[in-house]
């Protein structure tokens, strides 16, 4: 990995298990709307922004929704999600996360965060790791969510590193697609059958290595 100058991490499902909380919050909303929701469907939502995820869920609903109704549902999901993450602390870091961040720092890499979550700053703060990043993309400034490359390209630009000299770390199919569209090297975290587009796949960050 000697040729790389920067690493750009995803947050949810890579550094902490908030992917579980997004799943629970969307499941409650979907079922209240009469839409079947399971882990397989949720896999398509990972890395997809809030309104994009809502649209995918409501596409299976028997009824139509006005823009106001959709906004109200997205707000309701986010309120539930915020309740679920309210008690997060450094104990919620996934195994290997701190070690991976510290190994990147020790290797002299710039470290960025590219999450489309508008709760990312709060989550980083609760985990006590805000200071470990040189740059965190503000999801509110991104026009096109993953799989578009915009968020990874913005992180690279702000870190002052050319995209081919960056690698991204992602747990979501849409996130890996975003990294590859940005012409970066992609480390997938999870199941290699799901993250087939990644350059390599590790089961979790305890297997993260710069060798
Ligand atoms: C991440 C998660 C998605 C979530 C999105 C928006 O990408 O993987 O599941 O929908 O962030 O999160 P937000 O906190 O803004 O609703
Ligand atoms: Mg993720």
């Amino acid at each position: 990995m000697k040729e790389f100058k920067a690493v750009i991490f995803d947050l949810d499902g890579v550094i902490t298990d908030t992917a579980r909380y997004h799943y629970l919050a969307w499941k409650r909303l979907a079922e209240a709307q009469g839409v079947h929701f399971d882990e397989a469907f949720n896999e398509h939502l990972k890395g997809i922004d809030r309104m994009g995820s809502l649209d995918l869920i409501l596409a299976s609903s028997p009824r139509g929704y006005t823009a106001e109704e959709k906004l109200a549902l997205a707000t309701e999901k986010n309120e539930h999600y915020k309740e679920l993450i309210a008690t997060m602390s450094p104990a919620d870091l996934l195994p290997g996360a701190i070690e991976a961040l510290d190994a990147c720092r020790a290797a002299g890499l710039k470290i960025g965060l590219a999450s489309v979550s508008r709760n990312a700053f709060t989550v980083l703060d609760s985990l006590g790791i805000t200071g470990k990043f040189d740059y965190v993309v503000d999801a509110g400034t991104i026009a096109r969510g993953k799989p578009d490359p915009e968020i990874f390209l913005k992180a690279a630009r702000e870190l002052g590193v050319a995209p081919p000299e960056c690698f991204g770390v992602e747990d979501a199919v849409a996130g890996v697609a975003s990294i590859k569209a940005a012409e970066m090297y992609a480390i997938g975290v999870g199941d290699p059958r799901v993250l087939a587009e990644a350059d390599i796949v590790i089961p979790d960050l305890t297997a993260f290595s710069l060798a």
Side-chain angles (χ1 to χ4, degrees), residues 10-14 47 170-172:
D10 172 47
L11 175 66
D12 296 312
V14 172
E170 261 289 351
D171 70 314

Side-chain angles (χ1 to χ4, degrees), residues 29-205:
L29 180 142
E31 288 174 353
Q33 298 306 311
V35 173
H36 174 72
F37 193 85
D38 57 20
E39 300 270 3
F41 188 82
N42 185 61
E43 205 54 46
H44 301 295
L45 302 185
K46 285 185 182 173
I48 305 295
D49 65 25
R50 197 179 306 163
M51 293 311 286
S53 299
L54 181 66
D55 282 339
L56 287 171
I57 291 168
L58 297 183
S60 309
S61 168
R63 57 164 283 214
Y65 295 82
T66 65
E68 290 73 26
E69 284 174 322
K70 282 193 196 177
L71 203 58
L73 288 173
T75 304
E76 184 186 312
K77 182 267 176 178
N78 193 48
E79 291 305 315
H80 184 202
Y81 179 71
K82 286 199 290 187
E83 279 167 31
L84 294 172
I85 63 171
T87 58
M88 281 183 80
S89 75
D92 293 291
L93 283 157
L94 279 169
I98 287 289
E99 291 81 357
L101 288 165
D102 289 347
C104 291
R105 177 67 65 208
L109 294 168
K110 291 267 175 61
I111 305 176
L113 189 99
S115 169
V116 298
S117 172
R118 290 169 186 249
N119 294 293
F121 289 102
T122 309
V123 171
L124 289 180
D125 216 37
S126 303
L127 295 171
I129 57 167
T130 307
K132 292 199 179 279
F133 294 88
D134 296 300
Y135 181 72
V136 176
V137 179
D138 177 351
T141 65
I142 295 299
R144 294 171 304 280
K146 299 169 187 177
D148 190 281
E150 181 181 356
I151 192 164
F152 280 94
L153 290 175
K154 175 156 192 189
R157 191 165 60 244
E158 295 289 338
L159 291 170
V161 177
E165 294 177 319
C166 299
F167 66 95
V169 188
E170 261 289 351
D171 70 314
V173 174
V176 168
S178 173
I179 296 171
K180 293 314 297 174
E183 300 187 348
M184 298 176 185
Y185 184 84
I187 298 186
V189 179
D191 185 340
R193 287 163 303 182
V194 176
L195 304 175
E197 242 199 284
D199 294 293
I200 57 161
V201 180
I202 54 176
D204 56 53
L205 287 184

